[in-house]
Amino acid sequence: REVRRVLEHLGLEVSRLIRTAYGPFPLADLPAGDLKQLADQLGPVARELVGDVTVWSDVVATCRNDLTHLEGLGGQDDSGKQYDSGDLYWLAEGVFNVTRLCLLVHVGLHNELLPELAKSWPIHGAQERVIDAVGRLAEVQRRQRYRKRKGHR
């Protein structure tokens, strides 16, 4: 918001802003293994936030790859891939919550405070939706892998 306001004050029109990092954590090109490693810093709290951390990191990586290559958007295409925009929103919210808590740990928050912080409204209010979205997206991706193995492209 601040960037947009400053640039508009200078007479420049801002059509969109893209977050490239969250604190010290770069968001672009973050491999799934690194995302899992990031979540692992939170210990058992990560499972509360996103469910199975391995499944979550794989789903995030596959969605990112598909969307980078413009697959999986809109209606169901020839490959059978279809991502619901609501599910993508909640998937991004899960990434945001994990990186937010990791950033707090990175700047000195004690790990024993994580469970209490994870119960705060902005984070706790999203947990069930994030976990449900990860499950639905994992199923879409599982069906896609099955189709590829069967030779249906």
Side-chain angles (χ1 to χ4, degrees), residues 6 41 51 76 140 153:
V6 168
Q41 293 178 25
Q76 197 161 346
V140 167
R153 180 96 178 120

Side-chain angles (χ1 to χ4, degrees), residues 12 15 49 121 131 140:
L12 300 170
S15 60
L49 296 176
W121 177 82
I131 292 169
V140 167

Side-chain angles (χ1 to χ4, degrees), residues 39-59:
D40 286 344
Q41 293 178 25
L42 301 177
V45 170
R47 186 168 183 79
E48 291 178 34
L49 296 176
V50 297
D52 184 313
V53 172
T54 302
V55 171
W56 169 74
S57 64
D58 290 345
V59 166

